[in-house]
Amino acid sequence: MVQITRRDLVATGVALSAPALLGRQALAAANASMPAAAENAIAPREQLLFDVGWKFTFGHGSDPAKDLGFGMGQGDFAKTGEFSFAKLGFDDSAWRPLDLPHDWAVELPFVKDDTAKGDSQLRSHGYKPLGRRYPETSVGWYRREFDIAAAELGRRIVIAFDGAFRDVLVFVNGCFIGRNTNGYAPFQFDLSDFLVYGGKNVIAIRVDASFGDGWFYEGAGIYRHVWLTKSDAVHLGRWESVVRSTLNGDTASLALTAIVENREAVATRAKVTWVIRDAAGTTVATVQSPEQDVPADGLAEFSASAPVPHPLLWSPQTPNLYTAAVTVSTGGKQRDGEIVSFGIRTAEFDANKGFLLNGEVVKIQGTCNHQDHAGVGAALPDALQNFRLSVLREMGCNAVRTSHNMPAPEWVEACDHSGVMMMCETRLMNSNPEGMAQLEAMIKRYRNAPSIIIWSIGNEEWLLQDKMAEQGEKIAATMVRRCHELDPTRQVTTAVNGDNEKGVSEAVDVIGFNYNEEKWPDKFHASHPKRPVVGSETSSALSTRGEYITDPKRNTVNSYDGAADWGKTPEAWWNFYGTRDWLAGGFAWTGFDYRGEPTPYGWPSISSQFGIVDMCGFPKDYFYYYKAWWRKEPSLHLFPHWNWQGKEGQDVAVWVYTNLESVELFLNGRSLGRQNVPHLGHVQWKVAYQPGVIEARGYKGDTIVLVEKRETSGGAARLRLSTDRKEINADGEDVVLVRVEAFDSHGRPVPTAGNKLAFRVSGSGRLIGVGNGDPNCLESDKDPRRSLFNGLAQIIVQATNQPGIIHIAAASEDGTLTPAAISVRVKPAKRRLAVR
Ligand code: GAL
C-alpha cells in the first residue's frame, strides 16, 4: 500500500473496495481518571514509569558518521559491550531533553515532493519527511542515565515498551540488548544481566522510522509509555493472568489461570491466590490454587475457580468492572503479584440476530479510528484518549475498531471504563513469525478487557481474499486457530473489501464487509444464512468542518453529501446496516480525521477528511446525523451557518438532522413550512438567502421540543476560551483541552473566522500542541500560534508537577480582537511511581 493509493486502485480498476446510549452521568463517570497501570503491581513487584528525563537527537538513515558513528566499523556487533554511545562519558550535552511519549514526526515541517512516487509516500505520512529518502529526519536516538541500587541485585529488571515507531535497537551499558521491528506491538527486554548494581547505568535507543507499517500517519519515535519493572526471580508470567467468566443464571463462574516463572537455579513450590473485588473495592471472592512445583528456569500453570453471585454485568450503559489481585507465594512469602481488571459479560455475533451482549441484541454503532490527534501526533497523553472517546460517545457511538493496528493500553482501558465496545485489530495479516508474534501480543495483552467483543486478524488483504485465496485461507486459519487457543471466548473476523466468498473469509467466525453494501452483504446472507456478518468498515463519507461548498481549489468538501467514490453518506450506510436485524451493525470510517492518506485531495491537504469530527474533535455536521439516530434523547441540528454575504437572493440548502417528528423552518420570523422527518433521514429546504436568522423548530406531535438558530454575524471582534475540565492533576501528565472561539461584537459566533492567534500558557502548565481541524493547514502543531479555522482552534495544555493554576491566554496576532484568558486549577495529585 506504500506505493499504491486508493485512487490508483480505483483508476486502474484493480479493486473497488476498498443504542446503547449513555446518559450524562455515565459520561461524567467515565471521564473520571482511570487507574494507572503502575498501580497494578503488587509488592515486591515495582512497575515504574520510565518516561521522564530522556535526551533526544536525530541520527541518520544512511550516513553512519551522522548516526553516532553507528555502523562505521565492521565490528559493531562482534563483541559484547563496545557501543560507546551507550556508556557513561559519552557527550550528549547537545541533545534535547524531553519526556515520553514523543512523536518527532509531528514536529517536522510539511514537505512536498513533486515526483509521483515521492508524493505517494509523503501523502501516507501527512507530508512529513519520513522514509529512506529522508535519512536526516527518519532516525532518532533516545538516551538517559539511571541509577540501580546495590540492593536490587538478584531481582529481575525488565524494560517494557508499550509501542514505538518503528525499528528499535536497544543498548544498555555498551551492550546490544535487542530489537523490535513493528510500530504497534509492545516489547520488552530483561536487563538484569547487563546492569551495574549500586551505580549509574546508561540506556541508548535507536528508533528508525524509515519504513512504514501502514498507509496512514504512524508517527515516529517512542510514542507510547515505557516502564521499568522490577520483580522477584519467582514471578507471574507476562499477560498470563487470565480471568474468564461464564454466566449461569444470576451467578458468574470465574475460571482463573496464571503462570508462575522461576528464574532461580533450584525448583520451588508455589501457590497462587486470587482476591476478586468489585468496583467499590468490596471483596467478592478469595481463592487459592493447590501448591505446585515450579522447576528451576521453568514455569508452571496454576488455576482455580470462583463463583460471583449476582454479578454486576459489563455493558455500554453499565461499564461495571472487577479486579483480580493475583499473588504468588513460596514458603509463605509473597514473591510477586498484579492486579488484573476484567468485566463479566457475554458477547456473541449471531447469523440471525446480529450481535448479542449479555444475551440482548445490541446494534453496533461503531467508528474506525487511527490513533493520532491534533497537536501531539501519535504521542497521546492518557487523558486525551478519554477525551476522544467522550466525543465519540456524545454522538451515540458505542463501539470502536482499532483500525488497523494494536491499540495503546490506555485506549483499551478508556473503553473498558466508559463502556465502549471494541473490535481489536492486529496490524500484520500474516502467519509468519512476526505476524503471529504481533497477534499473540495483542490477544495476551488485552484478553481480560471486557470492551473487546471481537478480534480482527486483518484488513483488506486483496491478494489473500482473491488471487492468493488458497494461501489466504491457510494464513487466516493459522491465525484464527491461535486466537481461539489463546482466547476461546471471542469470535474472530477480518475486514474484507470483496464478496467474502473465498480466501481469508473461509477461516473466520464472523464475516466483515468493507463498503459496497449494495453489492455483497444481502447476497452473502442469502447464500450463507449461518454466518454472522458485521460492517467492519463503512461510510468513508467526506466533509470539511464548517464548509458547504466542494471546491477543489480550496481542497474543501461540502458538508451535505460528500463521500468517497467507494463510500456512502452516514444516512445511506445507516439505512442499510441499521435496518437489517441479521446485521450486527457497523463501523464508520472514521470517527476522527487523521493525518495522512489525505482524501479526496492531495497537497496541501495533510489529513484525511473522512472524520465525523475533525482532528481536534470538533464535530462536523455529519456528527449530528449519528446523534439523532444513534441516541434516544431528542436532538436537532440545523445547518449551514447563516453568513452568506454576497449571495443575497441566491438559494442556500438548509438541512436539519433530528429524531423529532417534524420541523418547521423560519427565515427572519417567516415560516418556510413544516416537514415530517423520515425515519433515519433528514429534512431540507432551499432558502433564498437574506441576512438575519434562520430557525428550526422541532416538534413531537404539536409540541415544540427543540429550537435551533443560525444568525448572520458581523466580523470577529473577540475571543473566548473554554476547557473540557475545570481542574486537572499535578502529575506532569494530565492535559486540559482548550477550545478557542471567535465572536462578533454582539456575542454571536463567527463561523467563518480565520484570524491568526497567539497563545500564552503560564503557571502550572505547558502548551504541548495546537490544532484547528483544517485539513489544509500547514502551520506548526508545536508553535504557540495558530489560525482559527471556521471560527475554532484548540490548545492542548499539560499540567506540570506543581499544584497551582494554569493561566491560558489567546490574542490575535494583529491585535484586532479582544483577547481572552482562562485559568485551570491543577490539584495536588499522586504522581505515578517513576524512574526519575
Ligand atoms: C479502506 C481502508 C482504510 C482507508 C479507507 C479510506 O479501504 O481499509 O484504511 O484507507 O479505505 O476510505
Side-chain angles (χ1 to χ4, degrees):
M1 194 91 179
V2 179
Q3 310 287 7
I4 303 173
T5 66
R6 152 80 59 181
R7 284 216 217 142
D8 298 334
L9 289 170
V10 172
T12 56
V14 174
L16 226 188
S17 72
L21 303 164
L22 282 167
R24 291 206 170 280
Q25 235 180 339
L27 283 174
N31 279 335
S33 55
M34 300 177 294
E39 286 154 19
N40 292 343
I42 297 178
R45 185 193 300 191
E46 288 174 85
Q47 187 171 355
L48 308 170
L49 193 67
F50 205 15
D51 278 359
V52 200
W54 290 83
K55 289 188 123 187
F56 173 82
T57 193
F58 278 118
H60 203 280
S62 58
D63 182 351
K66 295 180 183 156
D67 200 28
L68 311 190
F70 180 55
M72 284 295 271
Q74 155 66 15
D76 277 4
F77 288 95
K79 300 286 177 188
T80 297
E82 295 199 325
F83 291 104
S84 56
F85 46 72
K87 289 188 182 186
L88 289 175
F90 181 85
D91 182 11
D92 66 5
S93 55
W95 294 31
R96 168 187 158 201
L98 53 73
D99 295 338
L100 307 176
H102 172 236
D103 172 5
W104 82 69
V106 72
E107 298 166 354
L108 297 173
F110 296 101
V111 168
K112 185 170 190 293
D113 184 328
D114 289 322
T115 65
K117 282 214 164 140
D119 184 66
S120 149
Q121 183 180 39
L122 286 185
R123 281 167 73 106
S124 298
H125 296 301
Y127 292 104
K128 295 292 186 175
L130 293 176
R132 298 202 63 201
R133 292 171 313 118
Y134 297 96
E136 49 298 280
T137 47
S138 294
V139 172
W141 285 88
Y142 297 83
R143 190 176 185 279
R144 65 161 289 173
E145 296 177 5
F146 60 104
D147 294 309
I148 293 288
E152 310 279 16
L153 187 61
R155 299 186 85 191
R156 181 174 167 265
I157 301 183
V158 168
I159 186 168
F161 298 79
D162 284 343
F165 203 86
R166 172 185 188 262
D167 294 311
V168 173
L169 300 175
V170 177
F171 305 86
V172 170
N173 295 335
C175 302
F176 171 62
I177 306 293
R179 76 172 71 215
N180 181 71
T181 52
N182 76 80
Y184 301 98
F187 53 99
Q188 67 171 34
F189 301 107
D190 187 336
L191 303 183
S192 316
D193 290 350
F194 305 93
L195 295 172
V196 175
Y197 294 86
K200 284 233 169 295
N201 292 269
V202 182
I203 181 164
I205 302 170
R206 183 179 189 271
V207 184
D208 183 347
S210 300
F211 286 96
D213 274 316
W215 51 97
F216 36 86
Y217 177 87
E218 305 189 276
I222 308 178
Y223 72 92
R224 291 183 184 165
H225 293 306
V226 180
W227 306 90
L228 199 69
T229 307
K230 302 176 181 175
S231 57
D232 198 289
V234 175
H235 54 262
L236 294 164
R238 188 181 203 208
W239 307 323
E240 296 291 1
S241 298
V242 182
V243 182
R244 289 193 185 117
S245 57
T246 40
L247 268 174
N248 312 304
D250 194 25
T251 296
S253 162
L254 304 182
L256 307 159
T257 50
I259 283 182
V260 175
E261 295 178 359
N262 176 12
R263 290 275 167 271
E264 283 176 340
V266 288
T268 188
R269 252 184 111 60
K271 75 170 179 238
V272 174
T273 306
W274 289 264
V275 179
I276 312 297
R277 296 192 177 87
D278 64 17
T282 309
T283 300
V284 296
T286 302
V287 285
Q288 269 187 2
S289 68
E291 230 175 18
Q292 268 191 75
D293 283 339
V294 189
D297 277 324
L299 51 84
E301 186 172 327
F302 291 71
S303 60
S305 63
V308 179
H310 318 299
L312 297 170
L313 302 187
W314 186 95
S315 76
Q317 296 86 345
T318 57
N320 294 307
L321 293 175
Y322 287 83
T323 56
V326 190
T327 48
V328 51
S329 55
T330 59
K333 189 171 159 217
Q334 190 162 298
R335 307 291 296 269
D336 191 25
E338 63 190 2
I339 295 175
V340 172
S341 165
F342 68 97
I344 300 175
R345 55 120 188 88
T346 62
E348 190 195 347
F349 286 80
D350 180 276
N352 298 311
K353 296 184 186 150
F355 173 67
L356 299 124
L357 189 78
N358 300 323
E360 281 173 21
V361 171
V362 176
K363 217 26 155 190
I364 291 174
Q365 303 172 163
T367 59
C368 302
N369 288 283
H370 283 312
Q371 57 177 9
D372 60 303
H373 191 88
V376 295
L380 267 66
D382 299 353
L384 201 42
Q385 309 276 12
N386 264 339
F387 170 79
R388 285 166 65 85
L389 267 190
S390 69
V391 168
L392 296 175
R393 280 170 25 241
E394 181 67 32
M395 70 170 184
C397 171
N398 65 9
V400 290
R401 169 174 172 228
T402 69
S403 44
H404 305 293
N405 51 263
M406 180 169 178
E410 295 75 22
W411 183 240
V412 181
E413 282 164 27
C415 287
D416 281 351
H417 282 260
S418 60
V420 175
M421 303 179 286
M422 302 186 98
M423 175 185 287
C424 194
E425 183 165 290
T426 191
R427 177 68 292 281
L428 187 61
M429 186 173 210
N430 202 318
S431 55
N432 68 9
E434 173 65 27
M436 293 306 278
Q438 289 183 25
L439 184 71
E440 285 185 15
M442 177 176 86
I443 294 183
K444 286 188 164 188
R445 175 69 181 82
Y446 295 133
R447 60 191 156 176
N448 290 317
S451 55
I452 297 173
I453 53 169
I454 189 164
W455 303 114
S456 164
I457 56 170
N459 177 68
E460 295 192 357
E461 293 288 343
W462 37 69
L463 292 176
L464 304 187
Q465 66 197 32
D466 189 8
K467 291 209 171 71
M468 292 173 67
E470 220 176 293
Q471 293 92 330
E473 186 178 341
K474 290 192 188 109
I475 289 170
T478 304
M479 295 179 83
V480 171
R481 224 169 36 242
R482 190 68 180 130
C483 292
H484 288 164
E485 225 173 280
L486 294 171
D487 175 18
T489 71
R490 289 181 182 87
Q491 290 156 298
V492 181
T493 190
T494 183
V496 166
N497 56 331
D499 59 11
N500 265 305
E501 291 290 349
K502 58 180 183 216
V504 293
S505 315
E506 297 290 336
V508 293
D509 306 315
V510 177
I511 292 295
F513 276 107
N514 283 13
Y515 308 101
N516 292 292
E517 44 269 30
E518 70 287 352
K519 241 160 95 186
W520 292 317
D522 280 338
K523 221 159 98 190
F524 183 89
H525 179 59
S527 54
H528 305 77
K530 296 217 166 100
R531 303 202 70 183
V533 180
V534 65
S536 39
E537 194 175 311
T538 67
S539 194
S540 275
L542 293 162
S543 63
T544 317
R545 177 179 56 75
E547 296 288 337
Y548 299 93
I549 291 164
T550 297
D551 181 356
K553 290 204 192 75
R554 295 175 54 237
N555 283 10
T556 60
V557 185
N558 83 71
S559 295
Y560 303 102
D561 60 1
D565 297 349
W566 55 94
K568 296 265 183 311
T569 62
E571 191 170 329
W573 85 264
W574 192 245
N575 266 280
F576 185 89
Y577 278 94
T579 54
R580 283 161 174 75
D581 290 345
W582 52 274
L583 282 170
F587 295 85
W589 190 267
T590 45
F592 278 73
D593 271 346
Y594 54 94
R595 288 159 197 286
E597 203 180 32
T599 316
Y601 306 110
W603 180 270
S605 291
I606 49 87
S607 76
S608 82
Q609 306 209 34
F610 294 117
I612 302 164
V613 303
D614 69 19
M615 270 212 284
C616 299
F618 297 132
K620 303 182 186 177
D621 293 292
Y622 280 150
F623 178 95
Y624 299 96
Y625 173 82
Y626 292 109
K627 191 170 179 191
W629 298 112
W630 280 3
R631 293 190 67 150
K632 289 204 178 92
E633 300 86 338
S635 73
L636 183 143
H637 175 72
L638 165 71
F639 61 103
H641 60 66
W642 212 238
N643 276 26
W644 296 105
Q645 287 82 345
K647 296 208 162 174
E648 286 74 8
Q650 293 178 31
D651 279 347
V652 173
V654 175
W655 287 33
V656 173
Y657 289 137
T658 181
N659 50 12
L660 294 171
E661 286 169 10
S662 62
V663 179
E664 186 167 11
L665 190 73
F666 294 84
L667 174 62
N668 294 329
R670 182 168 54 90
S671 174
L672 302 179
R674 184 158 155 187
Q675 295 190 41
N676 290 330
V677 180
H679 182 58
L680 304 186
H682 72 276
V683 282
Q684 69 182 80
W685 287 260
K686 253 192 207 151
V687 179
Y689 178 66
Q690 268 170 29
V693 183
I694 43 164
E695 178 182 317
R697 296 185 191 159
Y699 286 81
K700 204 165 181 190
D702 282 329
T703 311
I704 296 177
V705 180
L706 289 170
V707 176
E708 260 214 356
K709 292 179 186 178
R710 299 281 173 256
E711 209 170 327
T712 309
S713 75
R718 62 183 180 80
L719 295 169
R720 185 202 283 165
L721 302 181
S722 54
T723 57
D724 68 324
R725 286 154 70 203
K726 301 238 165 319
E727 78 178 7
I728 59 172
N729 296 314
D731 58 4
E733 297 189 61
D734 206 358
V735 293
V736 64
L737 281 296
V738 186
R739 175 185 169 106
V740 189
E741 284 170 276
F743 291 84
D744 72 2
S745 55
H746 296 280
R748 293 176 292 219
V750 184
T752 49
N755 309 63
K756 183 89 189 259
L757 309 180
F759 310 123
R760 218 179 45 244
V761 176
S762 58
S764 302
R766 56 180 172 251
L767 180 150
I768 60 164
V770 296
N772 61 10
D774 180 355
N776 305 307
C777 182
L778 301 179
E779 295 167 12
S780 161
D781 279 66
K782 295 296 176 184
D783 265 5
R785 276 188 295 268
R786 190 68 162 196
S787 301
L788 290 166
F789 175 60
N790 288 335
L792 298 173
Q794 184 173 65
I795 319 172
I796 306 174
V797 177
Q798 188 160 50
T800 63
N801 295 314
Q802 295 306 314
I805 305 287
I806 308 177
H807 303 281
I808 304 156
S812 56
E813 276 200 335
D814 63 6
T816 53
L817 307 185
T818 308
I822 197 165
S823 46
V824 175
R825 210 171 86 81
V826 180
K827 63 173 193 263
K830 214 170 85 193
R831 286 162 72 188
R832 294 206 251 200
L833 293 169
V835 182
R836 300 204 189 271

